[in-house]
Amino acid sequence: EIVLTQSPATLSLSPGERATLSCRASQSVSIYLAWYQQKSGQAPRLLMYDASNRATGIPARFSGSGSETDFTLTISSLEPEDFAVYYCQQRSNWPLTFGGGTKVEIK
Amino acid sequence: EVQLLESGGGLVQPGGSLRLSCATSGFTFNNYGMTWVRQAPGKGLEWVSTISDSGGSTHLADSVKGRFTISRDNSKNTLFLQMNSLRADDTAVYYCAKGFRGTSFVDSWGQGTLVTVSS
């Protein structure tokens, strides 16, 4: 099973600041990594797929990068609606796995 | 508009069974793989199971293998999860989710149904 480790667990930032979230895989997943956003009490939403592609309707302030075992989700300038929990997920191998999540909270 | 509506959750005793359903609309159901993901209270996301568009291929997490079965009825645009031998650590919100562009990422989620396993 591929283990995805997200860091930091919590990121405390102010609106307008840049957020950098990390997801590290225990073995290569090539580019087959997605990022999801989950707001409190809501279902998750697909943000990025295959490491660097924005899903439909996702603002350009969200960007993804990386390959193999190291991936980054960047939010260039935090908007109030971006404070949420973010999860990465790999589809390289079964079983599918999610990271433990990074909570982006208001400082 | 894609819509996914889960049902069938509730309180069940350890060792009991439940069958979750996910009624879908707004897309051509038999063209997409479908997935169940769960989330224990206050915890992260856990993949449970995925079924191919035809239903001919299924995958299950080790934690539920031998106890849960995923299936689908393409004539009724409905996804199912049969859960047997339920344990306390199966307590979670169960989400059904639509596959994304032929991959095992998901791009639409239901609102979830809560399953509580307790005596």
Side-chain angles (χ1 to χ4, degrees), chain A residues 18-63:
Chain A
R18 182 184 189 90
T20 304
L21 288 66
S22 173
C23 177
R24 179 162 290 177
S26 59
Q27 64 189 78
S28 175
V29 298
S30 184
I31 61 165
Y32 302 127
L33 189 103
W35 291 93
Y36 298 86
Q37 176 194 65
Q38 187 179 33
K39 297 180 182 179
S40 180
Q42 297 184 14
R45 174 174 72 146
L46 178 66
L47 293 177
M48 312 290 302
Y49 64 94
D50 292 348
S52 61
N53 298 284
R54 275 189 300 275
T56 302
I58 302 304
R61 64 181 180 274
F62 290 91
S63 63

Short mmCIF file of all heavy atoms in Angstrom, two decimals, chain A residues 18-63:
data_model
loop_
_atom_site.label_atom_id
_atom_site.label_comp_id
_atom_site.label_asym_id
_atom_site.label_seq_id
_atom_site.Cartn_x
_atom_site.Cartn_y
_atom_site.Cartn_z
N ARG A 18 0.41 33.34 0.96
CA ARG A 18 0.64 32.18 0.12
C ARG A 18 0.66 30.92 0.98
O ARG A 18 1.29 30.89 2.03
CB ARG A 18 1.98 32.35 -0.60
CG ARG A 18 2.38 31.25 -1.57
CD ARG A 18 3.78 31.56 -2.10
NE ARG A 18 4.19 30.70 -3.19
CZ ARG A 18 3.97 30.98 -4.47
NH1 ARG A 18 3.33 32.07 -4.82
NH2 ARG A 18 4.40 30.15 -5.41
N ALA A 19 -0.03 29.88 0.51
CA ALA A 19 -0.04 28.60 1.22
C ALA A 19 0.67 27.55 0.39
O ALA A 19 0.42 27.43 -0.82
CB ALA A 19 -1.48 28.16 1.48
N THR A 20 1.53 26.80 1.05
CA THR A 20 2.27 25.72 0.38
C THR A 20 2.06 24.44 1.17
O THR A 20 2.47 24.33 2.32
CB THR A 20 3.77 26.05 0.28
OG1 THR A 20 3.94 27.30 -0.40
CG2 THR A 20 4.50 24.95 -0.48
N LEU A 21 1.39 23.47 0.53
CA LEU A 21 1.05 22.20 1.17
C LEU A 21 1.84 21.10 0.49
O LEU A 21 1.97 21.08 -0.74
CB LEU A 21 -0.45 21.91 1.03
CG LEU A 21 -1.44 22.72 1.84
CD1 LEU A 21 -1.48 24.18 1.43
CD2 LEU A 21 -2.83 22.10 1.73
N SER A 22 2.30 20.14 1.29
CA SER A 22 3.13 19.06 0.77
C SER A 22 2.45 17.71 0.92
O SER A 22 1.72 17.47 1.89
CB SER A 22 4.46 19.04 1.53
OG SER A 22 5.23 17.91 1.17
N CYS A 23 2.71 16.84 -0.04
CA CYS A 23 2.23 15.46 -0.01
C CYS A 23 3.38 14.59 -0.49
O CYS A 23 3.88 14.77 -1.61
CB CYS A 23 1.01 15.29 -0.90
SG CYS A 23 0.38 13.59 -1.01
N ARG A 24 3.81 13.67 0.35
CA ARG A 24 4.93 12.80 0.02
C ARG A 24 4.45 11.34 -0.03
O ARG A 24 3.79 10.88 0.91
CB ARG A 24 6.05 12.96 1.02
CG ARG A 24 7.26 12.07 0.77
CD ARG A 24 8.47 12.58 1.51
NE ARG A 24 8.95 13.83 0.92
CZ ARG A 24 9.98 14.53 1.41
NH1 ARG A 24 10.61 14.11 2.48
NH2 ARG A 24 10.36 15.64 0.82
N ALA A 25 4.80 10.64 -1.10
CA ALA A 25 4.39 9.25 -1.27
C ALA A 25 5.51 8.30 -0.87
O ALA A 25 6.69 8.59 -1.07
CB ALA A 25 4.00 9.00 -2.72
N SER A 26 5.11 7.15 -0.32
CA SER A 26 6.09 6.17 0.15
C SER A 26 6.81 5.45 -1.00
O SER A 26 7.85 4.83 -0.79
CB SER A 26 5.42 5.14 1.06
OG SER A 26 4.38 4.46 0.37
N GLN A 27 6.22 5.53 -2.19
CA GLN A 27 6.87 5.05 -3.41
C GLN A 27 6.31 5.86 -4.58
O GLN A 27 5.31 6.56 -4.41
CB GLN A 27 6.66 3.55 -3.62
CG GLN A 27 5.21 3.15 -3.83
CD GLN A 27 5.03 1.65 -3.82
OE1 GLN A 27 5.02 1.01 -2.77
NE2 GLN A 27 4.87 1.07 -5.01
N SER A 28 6.95 5.75 -5.71
CA SER A 28 6.55 6.58 -6.83
C SER A 28 5.09 6.35 -7.24
O SER A 28 4.64 5.21 -7.36
CB SER A 28 7.44 6.31 -8.05
OG SER A 28 6.97 7.05 -9.16
N VAL A 29 4.39 7.46 -7.47
CA VAL A 29 3.04 7.40 -8.03
C VAL A 29 3.02 8.09 -9.40
O VAL A 29 1.94 8.43 -9.90
CB VAL A 29 2.00 8.04 -7.08
CG1 VAL A 29 1.95 7.29 -5.76
CG2 VAL A 29 2.25 9.52 -6.87
N SER A 30 4.20 8.29 -9.97
CA SER A 30 4.32 9.02 -11.24
C SER A 30 3.67 10.41 -11.07
O SER A 30 4.05 11.14 -10.17
CB SER A 30 3.68 8.22 -12.37
OG SER A 30 3.86 8.88 -13.61
N ILE A 31 2.70 10.74 -11.91
CA ILE A 31 2.00 12.02 -11.73
C ILE A 31 0.56 11.79 -11.25
O ILE A 31 -0.24 12.71 -11.22
CB ILE A 31 1.97 12.82 -13.05
CG1 ILE A 31 1.22 12.03 -14.13
CG2 ILE A 31 3.37 13.22 -13.48
CD1 ILE A 31 0.83 12.88 -15.32
N TYR A 32 0.24 10.56 -10.86
CA TYR A 32 -1.14 10.19 -10.60
C TYR A 32 -1.60 10.57 -9.20
O TYR A 32 -1.92 9.71 -8.35
CB TYR A 32 -1.36 8.71 -10.89
CG TYR A 32 -1.00 8.35 -12.31
CD1 TYR A 32 -0.12 7.31 -12.60
CD2 TYR A 32 -1.52 9.08 -13.38
CE1 TYR A 32 0.21 6.99 -13.90
CE2 TYR A 32 -1.19 8.77 -14.69
CZ TYR A 32 -0.32 7.73 -14.94
OH TYR A 32 0.01 7.42 -16.24
N LEU A 33 -1.59 11.86 -8.97
CA LEU A 33 -1.96 12.40 -7.67
C LEU A 33 -3.00 13.50 -7.85
O LEU A 33 -2.90 14.32 -8.76
CB LEU A 33 -0.73 12.98 -6.96
CG LEU A 33 -1.03 13.35 -5.52
CD1 LEU A 33 -0.47 12.29 -4.57
CD2 LEU A 33 -0.55 14.73 -5.16
N ALA A 34 -3.99 13.49 -6.97
CA ALA A 34 -5.03 14.52 -6.98
C ALA A 34 -5.05 15.23 -5.63
O ALA A 34 -4.58 14.71 -4.61
CB ALA A 34 -6.40 13.89 -7.24
N TRP A 35 -5.61 16.42 -5.64
CA TRP A 35 -5.85 17.20 -4.43
C TRP A 35 -7.35 17.49 -4.33
O TRP A 35 -8.00 17.83 -5.32
CB TRP A 35 -5.09 18.52 -4.47
CG TRP A 35 -3.60 18.38 -4.38
CD1 TRP A 35 -2.73 18.29 -5.42
CD2 TRP A 35 -2.81 18.37 -3.19
NE1 TRP A 35 -1.44 18.20 -4.94
CE2 TRP A 35 -1.46 18.26 -3.58
CE3 TRP A 35 -3.11 18.44 -1.83
CZ2 TRP A 35 -0.41 18.21 -2.66
CZ3 TRP A 35 -2.08 18.40 -0.91
CH2 TRP A 35 -0.74 18.28 -1.33
N TYR A 36 -7.87 17.38 -3.09
CA TYR A 36 -9.26 17.69 -2.81
C TYR A 36 -9.32 18.71 -1.69
O TYR A 36 -8.46 18.73 -0.79
CB TYR A 36 -10.03 16.44 -2.36
CG TYR A 36 -10.09 15.33 -3.40
CD1 TYR A 36 -9.07 14.39 -3.50
CD2 TYR A 36 -11.15 15.23 -4.28
CE1 TYR A 36 -9.12 13.37 -4.44
CE2 TYR A 36 -11.21 14.22 -5.23
CZ TYR A 36 -10.19 13.30 -5.30
OH TYR A 36 -10.24 12.30 -6.24
N GLN A 37 -10.35 19.51 -1.73
CA GLN A 37 -10.63 20.48 -0.66
C GLN A 37 -11.92 20.06 0.05
O GLN A 37 -12.90 19.71 -0.62
CB GLN A 37 -10.83 21.88 -1.27
CG GLN A 37 -11.21 22.96 -0.30
CD GLN A 37 -11.71 24.20 -1.04
OE1 GLN A 37 -12.75 24.18 -1.69
NE2 GLN A 37 -10.96 25.29 -0.93
N GLN A 38 -11.90 20.10 1.36
CA GLN A 38 -13.12 19.80 2.11
C GLN A 38 -13.37 20.90 3.13
O GLN A 38 -12.56 21.12 4.02
CB GLN A 38 -13.05 18.44 2.81
CG GLN A 38 -14.38 18.04 3.45
CD GLN A 38 -14.34 16.68 4.12
OE1 GLN A 38 -13.32 16.25 4.65
NE2 GLN A 38 -15.48 15.98 4.11
N LYS A 39 -14.50 21.55 2.99
CA LYS A 39 -14.92 22.55 3.97
C LYS A 39 -15.77 21.87 5.03
O LYS A 39 -16.36 20.82 4.78
CB LYS A 39 -15.68 23.67 3.28
CG LYS A 39 -14.83 24.43 2.28
CD LYS A 39 -15.60 25.54 1.59
CE LYS A 39 -14.73 26.23 0.56
NZ LYS A 39 -15.46 27.31 -0.15
N SER A 40 -15.84 22.49 6.18
CA SER A 40 -16.52 21.91 7.32
C SER A 40 -17.98 21.57 6.97
O SER A 40 -18.71 22.42 6.46
CB SER A 40 -16.48 22.87 8.50
OG SER A 40 -17.13 22.32 9.60
N GLY A 41 -18.36 20.33 7.22
CA GLY A 41 -19.73 19.89 7.00
C GLY A 41 -20.09 19.62 5.55
O GLY A 41 -21.25 19.36 5.25
N GLN A 42 -19.11 19.68 4.67
CA GLN A 42 -19.37 19.47 3.24
C GLN A 42 -18.60 18.27 2.71
O GLN A 42 -17.63 17.81 3.32
CB GLN A 42 -18.97 20.71 2.44
CG GLN A 42 -19.76 21.96 2.78
CD GLN A 42 -19.39 23.12 1.88
OE1 GLN A 42 -18.75 22.95 0.83
NE2 GLN A 42 -19.79 24.32 2.27
N ALA A 43 -19.05 17.80 1.56
CA ALA A 43 -18.31 16.76 0.85
C ALA A 43 -17.05 17.38 0.24
O ALA A 43 -17.00 18.58 -0.01
CB ALA A 43 -19.18 16.15 -0.24
N PRO A 44 -16.04 16.55 -0.02
CA PRO A 44 -14.84 17.08 -0.68
C PRO A 44 -15.11 17.54 -2.10
O PRO A 44 -16.14 17.20 -2.70
CB PRO A 44 -13.89 15.87 -0.68
CG PRO A 44 -14.39 14.98 0.40
CD PRO A 44 -15.89 15.16 0.40
N ARG A 45 -14.17 18.31 -2.63
CA ARG A 45 -14.25 18.82 -4.00
C ARG A 45 -12.91 18.58 -4.67
O ARG A 45 -11.86 18.86 -4.07
CB ARG A 45 -14.59 20.31 -4.00
CG ARG A 45 -14.56 20.95 -5.37
CD ARG A 45 -15.04 22.39 -5.34
NE ARG A 45 -14.12 23.32 -4.72
CZ ARG A 45 -13.96 24.59 -5.09
NH1 ARG A 45 -14.65 25.04 -6.14
NH2 ARG A 45 -13.14 25.39 -4.45
N LEU A 46 -12.94 18.09 -5.90
CA LEU A 46 -11.70 17.87 -6.65
C LEU A 46 -11.11 19.20 -7.07
O LEU A 46 -11.79 20.01 -7.71
CB LEU A 46 -11.99 17.01 -7.88
CG LEU A 46 -10.80 16.71 -8.81
CD1 LEU A 46 -9.76 15.85 -8.11
CD2 LEU A 46 -11.29 16.03 -10.10
N LEU A 47 -9.83 19.43 -6.71
CA LEU A 47 -9.13 20.65 -7.10
C LEU A 47 -8.19 20.41 -8.27
O LEU A 47 -8.21 21.13 -9.26
CB LEU A 47 -8.30 21.18 -5.93
CG LEU A 47 -8.98 21.69 -4.68
CD1 LEU A 47 -7.93 22.09 -3.66
CD2 LEU A 47 -9.89 22.87 -5.00
N MET A 48 -7.32 19.43 -8.11
CA MET A 48 -6.24 19.17 -9.05
C MET A 48 -6.21 17.69 -9.37
O MET A 48 -6.48 16.86 -8.49
CB MET A 48 -4.89 19.56 -8.47
CG MET A 48 -4.78 20.91 -7.82
SD MET A 48 -4.87 22.28 -8.96
CE MET A 48 -3.52 21.92 -10.06
N TYR A 49 -5.85 17.33 -10.60
CA TYR A 49 -5.67 15.94 -10.96
C TYR A 49 -4.38 15.78 -11.74
O TYR A 49 -3.90 16.74 -12.35
CB TYR A 49 -6.87 15.40 -11.74
CG TYR A 49 -7.08 16.05 -13.09
CD1 TYR A 49 -6.55 15.50 -14.25
CD2 TYR A 49 -7.81 17.24 -13.20
CE1 TYR A 49 -6.73 16.10 -15.48
CE2 TYR A 49 -7.99 17.85 -14.43
CZ TYR A 49 -7.46 17.28 -15.56
OH TYR A 49 -7.64 17.89 -16.78
N ASP A 50 -3.83 14.57 -11.67
CA ASP A 50 -2.56 14.27 -12.32
C ASP A 50 -1.52 15.35 -12.01
O ASP A 50 -0.85 15.87 -12.91
CB ASP A 50 -2.76 14.04 -13.82
CG ASP A 50 -3.54 12.77 -14.10
OD1 ASP A 50 -3.73 11.96 -13.16
OD2 ASP A 50 -3.98 12.57 -15.24
N ALA A 51 -1.46 15.66 -10.75
CA ALA A 51 -0.46 16.53 -10.13
C ALA A 51 -0.61 18.01 -10.41
O ALA A 51 -0.46 18.83 -9.51
CB ALA A 51 0.96 16.08 -10.51
N SER A 52 -0.87 18.39 -11.65
CA SER A 52 -0.74 19.81 -11.99
C SER A 52 -1.90 20.36 -12.82
O SER A 52 -1.81 21.50 -13.30
CB SER A 52 0.57 20.05 -12.76
OG SER A 52 0.58 19.32 -13.96
N ASN A 53 -2.95 19.59 -12.98
CA ASN A 53 -4.09 20.04 -13.80
C ASN A 53 -5.26 20.47 -12.91
O ASN A 53 -5.72 19.70 -12.06
CB ASN A 53 -4.55 18.90 -14.71
CG ASN A 53 -3.48 18.48 -15.68
OD1 ASN A 53 -3.20 19.16 -16.66
ND2 ASN A 53 -2.84 17.36 -15.39
N ARG A 54 -5.70 21.70 -13.12
CA ARG A 54 -6.85 22.18 -12.35
C ARG A 54 -8.13 21.55 -12.87
O ARG A 54 -8.34 21.46 -14.09
CB ARG A 54 -6.95 23.70 -12.44
CG ARG A 54 -6.10 24.44 -11.42
CD ARG A 54 -6.43 25.93 -11.43
NE ARG A 54 -6.20 26.52 -12.73
CZ ARG A 54 -5.02 26.95 -13.14
NH1 ARG A 54 -3.97 26.85 -12.36
NH2 ARG A 54 -4.90 27.49 -14.34
N ALA A 55 -9.00 21.14 -11.94
CA ALA A 55 -10.31 20.64 -12.33
C ALA A 55 -11.19 21.80 -12.78
O ALA A 55 -10.86 22.97 -12.57
CB ALA A 55 -10.94 19.90 -11.15
N THR A 56 -12.31 21.46 -13.38
CA THR A 56 -13.21 22.47 -13.91
C THR A 56 -13.67 23.43 -12.83
O THR A 56 -14.10 23.01 -11.74
CB THR A 56 -14.44 21.79 -14.54
OG1 THR A 56 -14.02 20.89 -15.55
CG2 THR A 56 -15.39 22.81 -15.13
N GLY A 57 -13.54 24.72 -13.13
CA GLY A 57 -14.05 25.74 -12.22
C GLY A 57 -13.13 26.12 -11.08
O GLY A 57 -13.49 26.96 -10.25
N ILE A 58 -11.96 25.52 -11.02
CA ILE A 58 -11.03 25.83 -9.93
C ILE A 58 -10.23 27.09 -10.29
O ILE A 58 -9.64 27.16 -11.38
CB ILE A 58 -10.09 24.64 -9.66
CG1 ILE A 58 -10.91 23.39 -9.32
CG2 ILE A 58 -9.10 24.98 -8.56
CD1 ILE A 58 -11.86 23.55 -8.16
N PRO A 59 -10.18 28.05 -9.38
CA PRO A 59 -9.50 29.31 -9.69
C PRO A 59 -8.00 29.13 -9.93
O PRO A 59 -7.38 28.21 -9.40
CB PRO A 59 -9.74 30.17 -8.44
CG PRO A 59 -10.87 29.54 -7.74
CD PRO A 59 -10.83 28.08 -8.06
N ALA A 60 -7.45 30.07 -10.68
CA ALA A 60 -6.04 29.99 -11.07
C ALA A 60 -5.08 30.19 -9.90
O ALA A 60 -3.89 29.90 -10.03
CB ALA A 60 -5.76 31.01 -12.16
N ARG A 61 -5.58 30.67 -8.76
CA ARG A 61 -4.68 30.83 -7.61
C ARG A 61 -4.24 29.47 -7.05
O ARG A 61 -3.29 29.40 -6.27
CB ARG A 61 -5.33 31.67 -6.50
CG ARG A 61 -6.56 31.07 -5.87
CD ARG A 61 -7.12 32.01 -4.80
NE ARG A 61 -8.30 31.48 -4.15
CZ ARG A 61 -9.53 31.63 -4.61
NH1 ARG A 61 -9.74 32.31 -5.72
NH2 ARG A 61 -10.56 31.11 -3.95
N PHE A 62 -4.93 28.41 -7.44
CA PHE A 62 -4.53 27.05 -7.05
C PHE A 62 -3.61 26.47 -8.12
O PHE A 62 -3.93 26.50 -9.32
CB PHE A 62 -5.76 26.14 -6.90
CG PHE A 62 -6.63 26.45 -5.73
CD1 PHE A 62 -7.70 27.33 -5.86
CD2 PHE A 62 -6.40 25.87 -4.48
CE1 PHE A 62 -8.51 27.64 -4.78
CE2 PHE A 62 -7.21 26.16 -3.40
CZ PHE A 62 -8.27 27.05 -3.54
N SER A 63 -2.48 25.94 -7.68
CA SER A 63 -1.60 25.26 -8.61
C SER A 63 -0.98 24.04 -7.95
O SER A 63 -0.82 24.01 -6.72
CB SER A 63 -0.50 26.20 -9.13
OG SER A 63 0.32 26.63 -8.07
#
